[in-house]
Amino acid sequence: MLDYDKLAEIVENYKKEFSERWPRESYKWEAAKHFQDNWDINAPDFSEMFAKATKKTGNLLGSGNFYPREAITNWSKKDPELFRGMFQDLYDESKDLYLRVQNFINSAAKYHKELNDGGENHFQNTNAVSTYLWLKYPDKYYIYKYSSARAVARVLKYPEVPKKSSDPNEMLKAFKMYSEIRDVIKSDNELINLVKTSLTDSCYSDPKYITLTSDIDFYIG
């Protein structure tokens, strides 16, 4: 159960700051649209396709010492079929979500270890994998970032605060929390109108308000 009064207060502040925030954060909606327009799992050059499809993700897949997009782009040049298969499996909705996420992370870790390139991190954690899922299915999956999810859970007094862990269950726990937040914000007509009137042809329409929920998550976090 969320602290709905606190959430309402936060949403009011978000709306007040929206016009200032939108120019900085609209890239999320643009990234989703760009991915939808450019993703092709059967592309002859998988690495080139992946790099192009994820081009507009900005700091979602590359910031500070976090380079999941760069890693996949470079690795898939060496073994495109391995990574094509990893994404085919990740995006197979007939399979259990937990297993898909865990298998993707495990496969990346195994490849990184076998490559033995001296790097310490393969970067394919639940944050990166949730972003891949959101890009492919923006009406279903949220962007999960542990630090933001923890902050949101604490601010809104959510009973299940995500733990710092590579276990996909922590991501799934946050997804449940985000869904409760979405159930609230989707009925705020003023908020929805602010977003809808700001969207351009280069933005994903976000009919289920999943990207909006993720942006509010980052706003709180």
Side-chain angles (χ1 to χ4, degrees), residues 111-124:
Y111 180 81
H112 178 255
K113 184 177 181 180
E114 292 175 350
L115 190 64
N116 192 27
D117 63 356
E120 297 181 358
N121 196 333
H122 58 75
F123 306 113
Q124 309 308 316

Side-chain angles (χ1 to χ4, degrees), residues 152-168:
V152 170
R154 289 178 173 173
V155 168
L156 297 181
K157 300 177 182 177
Y158 192 71
E160 293 188 84
V161 179
K163 300 174 183 176
K164 190 173 185 178
S165 170
S166 60
D167 186 347

Side-chain angles (χ1 to χ4, degrees), residues 11 14-15 22 47 58 71 73 75 89-90 92 108-109 114 120 142 145 149 176 219:
V11 170
Y14 179 87
K15 289 189 290 188
W22 180 253
S47 176
T73 300
W75 291 344
D89 184 70
L90 179 65
D92 187 346
E114 292 175 350
E120 297 181 358
Y142 304 91
K145 186 176 181 180
K176 291 180 181 179
Y219 175 75

